[in-house]
Amino acid sequence: MIRAVIFDLDGVIIDSEEVWEEVRRGYVAEYGKQFLPDSQDRMMGMSTPEWSRHLAEEVGVPRTPSQVADDVLARMAVRYRADLPLIEGAVPAVRRLGERFTLALASSSARILIDQVLATAGLTDAFAVTLSTEEVPRGKPAPDVYLTAADKLGLPPAECAAIEDSSNGLRSAGAAGTAVIAVPHGVYPPAADALAMASLTVTGIDALTADAVAALR
């Protein structure tokens, strides 16, 4: 029986993946650098320490990982304050599922951005637990953030459903043992092996019903 639903943030509640890519590409370009061919795919799901280390040590930005993180997060915060890219139907979906299930949030975004997004969207009160991957040992695709979220909810992962859009997010939720719901992103579609982990795939978050979640497992 599904008793809780754990939401991802980027790509599920806010359409931010393109903003992240634009901001980080622009940032590395300021230093005369450019993404590696697989940088974007690899960074989707990484924790803040992981992607900042990638930009500093592998892409070659001449700043420490901590400085890179501070620089990029400041730019993201400015963008969110100017125009929060909420996905259509996401807020009603959170409220709708919250009427039937306990909700948690497991995001690769930094804590400062999670709190800003939830406050701006009016969703601060919607989640019993919110976690950033910077608060667990490993980012997605490792299962840490979902295992920790389930533990904080006081539930086994098998009684939780996770909503994800990206390859690494789907892999993380699947590895944790949750029921996996895929909401594939149109610009950054998940890999076939990751999508295969989903028990349910919906075309958009606004199409996800409480009855469909309850029918999992």
Side-chain angles (χ1 to χ4, degrees):
M1 176 186 295
I2 300 299
R3 298 171 60 190
V5 176
I6 308 174
F7 280 78
D8 178 34
L9 182 65
D10 298 282
V12 173
I13 294 175
I14 54 173
D15 194 8
S16 56
E17 302 291 7
E18 290 176 86
V19 181
W20 275 106
E21 181 175 6
E22 181 182 334
V23 166
R24 289 191 287 213
R25 281 188 186 274
Y27 176 70
V28 303
E30 292 174 18
Y31 293 94
K33 306 295 182 180
Q34 60 183 6
F35 274 16
L36 304 180
D38 63 348
S39 287
Q40 177 60 24
D41 285 343
R42 287 173 61 188
M43 287 191 293
M44 291 177 70
M46 280 186 177
S47 67
T48 300
E50 289 168 340
W51 62 251
S52 60
R53 188 165 55 248
H54 172 75
L55 293 182
E57 298 177 0
E58 297 184 60
V59 175
V61 174
R63 303 271 281 167
T64 67
S66 178
Q67 290 171 326
V68 169
D70 289 345
D71 293 345
V72 172
L73 292 176
R75 287 163 170 77
M76 288 296 297
V78 169
R79 291 289 295 270
Y80 283 175
R81 282 194 294 269
D83 182 21
L84 185 65
L86 279 169
I87 290 175
E88 184 176 357
V91 171
V94 170
R95 294 298 184 189
R96 183 170 64 249
L97 293 178
E99 292 175 355
R100 191 156 170 185
F101 306 99
T102 302
L103 302 185
L105 185 82
S107 173
S108 297
S109 280
R111 168 57 61 184
I112 188 172
L113 294 182
I114 292 172
D115 292 346
Q116 181 179 330
V117 168
L118 295 183
T120 303
L123 291 175
T124 301
D125 66 333
F127 298 97
V129 171
T130 62
L131 275 176
S132 166
T133 52
E134 66 183 13
E135 297 163 346
V136 297
R138 299 174 296 171
K140 302 171 185 179
D144 301 30
V145 72
Y146 280 106
L147 292 173
T148 304
D151 182 64
K152 287 182 176 293
L153 290 169
L155 295 171
E159 294 182 8
C160 302
I163 306 175
E164 276 284 359
D165 67 301
S166 69
S167 295
N168 284 339
L170 292 165
R171 292 175 182 131
S172 174
T178 71
V180 181
I181 300 169
V183 188
H185 195 284
V187 178
Y188 306 100
D193 72 289
L195 191 58
M197 293 185 171
S199 301
L200 174 66
T201 300
V202 294
T203 56
I205 192 66
D206 57 339
L208 183 60
T209 66
D211 285 344
V213 175
L216 297 173
R217 298 290 184 190

